[in-house]
Amino acid sequence: MEKKEWYLEYEIQKNRPGLLGDISSLLGMLSINIVTINGVDEGRRGMLLLARSDEQIVRLELILRTMDTIQMTKLREPKLRDRMAVRHGRYIQRDADDKKTFRFIRDELGLLVDFMAELYKQDGHKLIGIRGLPRVGKTESIVAASVCANKKWLFVSSTLLKQTVRDKLIPDEYNENNLFIIDGVVSTQRASDKHWQLVREIMRMPSIKVIEHPDIFVQNTEYSIDDFDYIIELRHDPDEEITYELMYKNTMFSGSDFGEFDF
């Protein structure tokens, strides 16, 4: 029988030498393998486990609930956030009211890149929005995650090097495995009918699309924030307010200062 992966998380109630060894021995006696283990929060540990049957997990849960040294907080099939927490030793912050919004600061770029790369590896259509002020690392993170996920990225609109606004793709670029990057501010300010026709064509493709400044994008299209599968917010620090006045100024001057690319 093929082994199934599980995520176990527990909070330490009475920390003592040998506690982790006791839990590891228990898992061994139940023939459950430990894949990865790490601290995921202050006083909490997370484990990725492999078990041959659900029965093993049921027995494990019953035993863990009798232990007074730990309190089991999660025992489930692993979600993406669980895998990231074990890999990086902390949970990705998620909006309390909007569960599809995830928050990062610039010091967490490694975690952000890893998170986005895992999203990119999933098959089929996925619409991802990313909010953040200029020069916080949005575009660079998108591209770095594309490299990690072995995806070819295409700028439909961008200001990474020069202002880029594309009106068409070449035949080889119409590939569902490609990742398409759209800057909502640039597309809004420099939009031509041909450009928006291309954007709508890309939006219909069963591929990964990443929209920088999704709030501006939805203000000028028939799409809404509800159409997005994930919203990522990137800040220099946790208290930074994301506003759009500075973004418009930067985009207006980027064309005259550095030149433009039109396709």
Side-chain angles (χ1 to χ4, degrees):
M1 183 182 294
E2 186 177 351
K3 290 188 176 182
K4 183 177 176 181
E5 205 166 33
W6 294 85
Y7 177 68
L8 167 64
E9 183 182 296
Y10 61 85
E11 186 174 356
I12 299 171
Q13 302 296 310
K14 298 177 182 178
N15 199 1
R16 58 170 178 75
L19 176 59
L20 180 58
D22 290 346
I23 295 172
S24 301
S25 298
L26 171 62
L27 292 168
M29 286 187 289
L30 292 171
S31 299
I32 298 172
N33 297 332
I34 300 175
V35 179
T36 314
I37 181 170
N38 203 351
V40 295
D41 201 355
E42 188 174 348
R44 292 195 181 194
R45 286 198 182 106
M47 296 182 180
L48 288 177
L49 308 174
L50 275 180
R52 287 194 306 273
S53 68
D54 294 351
E55 215 174 282
Q56 292 171 294
I57 298 300
V58 171
R59 290 204 300 270
L60 172 64
E61 182 176 6
L62 290 173
I63 297 171
L64 290 178
R65 290 196 184 282
T66 66
M67 298 177 65
D68 60 357
T69 51
I70 67 168
Q71 179 182 353
M72 185 180 63
T73 53
K74 295 182 179 76
L75 184 57
R76 64 191 183 195
E77 294 183 38
K79 300 179 180 180
L80 179 56
R81 286 183 75 226
D82 299 331
R83 297 182 188 279
M84 293 293 103
V86 172
R87 195 179 299 173
H88 293 271
R90 53 181 163 171
Y91 262 99
I92 296 170
Q93 185 181 359
R94 186 162 64 175
D95 190 284
D97 299 320
D98 184 3
K99 297 299 184 183
K100 69 180 180 183
T101 299
F102 297 85
R103 293 173 175 164
F104 299 83
I105 59 173
R106 186 171 171 81
D107 288 345
E108 300 173 326
L109 286 183
L111 177 58
L112 170 59
V113 168
D114 196 12
F115 176 66
M116 286 198 295
E118 291 298 324
L119 296 180
Y120 297 170
K121 291 174 186 177
Q122 299 172 7
D123 294 331
H125 161 83
K126 194 166 272 71
L127 185 59
I128 303 168
I130 181 165
R131 298 177 177 132
L133 294 178
R135 292 180 291 279
V136 74
K138 298 184 301 300
T139 310
E140 294 86 344
S141 298
I142 295 168
V143 171
S146 304
V147 175
C148 293
N150 198 26
K151 290 272 187 180
K152 178 180 178 181
W153 70 91
L154 295 170
F155 288 116
V156 181
S157 57
S158 175
T159 58
L160 182 62
L161 296 176
K162 296 185 178 182
Q163 194 169 98
T164 302
V165 183
R166 299 195 61 173
D167 292 335
K168 59 185 176 182
L169 302 179
I170 61 176
D172 288 347
E173 293 175 332
Y174 285 96
N175 189 319
E176 296 174 3
N177 291 320
N178 289 343
L179 184 141
F180 298 94
I181 304 169
I182 300 170
D183 187 312
V185 173
V186 174
S187 288
T188 297
Q189 292 189 338
R190 295 288 320 283
S192 65
D193 290 340
K194 286 185 177 180
H195 173 73
W196 282 115
Q197 184 179 348
L198 174 62
V199 168
R200 292 183 176 94
E201 193 174 352
I202 290 170
M203 293 290 282
R204 290 192 295 268
M205 294 175 61
S207 58
I208 305 289
K209 279 82 65 173
V210 184
I211 313 291
E212 296 186 50
H213 314 305
D215 305 285
I216 302 299
F217 180 80
V218 300
Q219 286 176 14
N220 297 275
T221 65
E222 63 271 29
Y223 305 101
S224 73
I225 289 294
D226 293 336
D227 293 321
F228 285 80
D229 300 292
Y230 296 90
I231 297 290
I232 294 168
E233 296 181 350
L234 179 59
R235 295 173 168 85
H236 289 94
D237 60 74
D239 299 323
E240 183 176 68
E241 182 182 0
I242 299 174
T243 59
Y244 292 97
E245 182 179 353
L246 181 60
M247 298 179 196
Y248 278 121
K249 289 180 180 178
N250 279 359
T251 310
M252 286 173 64
F253 287 112
S254 63
S256 58
D257 288 347
F258 301 105
E260 302 168 1
F261 285 153
D262 284 302
F263 295 86

